[in-house]
Amino acid sequence: MAASVERLNEYVRPPLKHAVAFAGARGEGMTVARAAGAAIEDDHAQPAVLDAGVRNGWLAGGRGAYPHLALDRAKPGLIAVNAAGRRFVDEAVSYHEFVVGMHRSHETVPTIPAWLVCDRAFVERYGLGRVPPGGGVGAS
């Protein structure tokens, strides 16, 4: 659902700080559906498909986000750690399960945000996020 953080936080716990959606997204589809009498199932472990993203200023106006799906996280040589510097999940799990792991860990140790840790050799071989293999910043 492309929606504002406020709309997503009606369903997601712990609350999100950011959403990877276009700037004007407000979740009007949910508003229209509710007005027509639709109900939202709430018996799910997680009511949304979650992915971990990094905020950065690569779009006009200083906006932008890059979703860390499994293309970089699952490679050997990278770990994800919480505020205590401890791994909290298998980095190779699906992007949804990765964020579920973040939320689970966050119940006892600050884990939102989490950090992806790797060395230069990793970046040169695989790249990381918007940084392509070799370490140069991509044009897109």
Side-chain angles (χ1 to χ4, degrees):
M1 128 178 50
S4 67
V5 172
E6 294 78 20
R7 174 56 48 88
L8 289 169
N9 284 339
E10 293 175 16
Y11 308 100
V12 178
R13 294 291 176 265
L16 304 174
K17 290 185 179 182
H18 310 284
V20 180
F22 68 94
R26 295 188 308 268
E28 288 106 338
M30 295 298 291
T31 303
V32 170
R34 283 181 175 167
I40 306 299
E41 284 189 38
D42 60 2
D43 63 344
H44 303 285
Q46 270 297 339
V49 176
L50 305 170
D51 69 44
V54 174
R55 286 188 318 143
N56 56 41
W58 59 277
L59 291 176
R63 294 187 56 252
Y66 183 88
H68 285 281
L69 304 174
L71 302 175
D72 46 14
R73 284 188 296 102
K75 303 284 193 296
L78 177 142
I79 62 171
V81 298
N82 60 24
R86 298 189 184 238
R87 286 182 72 206
F88 57 89
V89 70
D90 177 349
E91 293 82 7
V93 296
S94 74
Y95 53 87
H96 178 80
E97 289 301 321
F98 182 86
V99 178
V100 169
M102 286 175 67
H103 286 203
R104 189 177 303 117
S105 176
H106 194 71
E107 292 174 8
T108 57
V109 177
T111 308
I112 301 171
W115 291 266
L116 299 179
V117 180
C118 63
D119 62 11
R120 172 179 271 176
F122 178 94
V123 175
E124 287 177 358
R125 182 168 186 177
Y126 302 114
L128 181 64
R130 293 190 67 241
V131 179
V137 176
S140 61

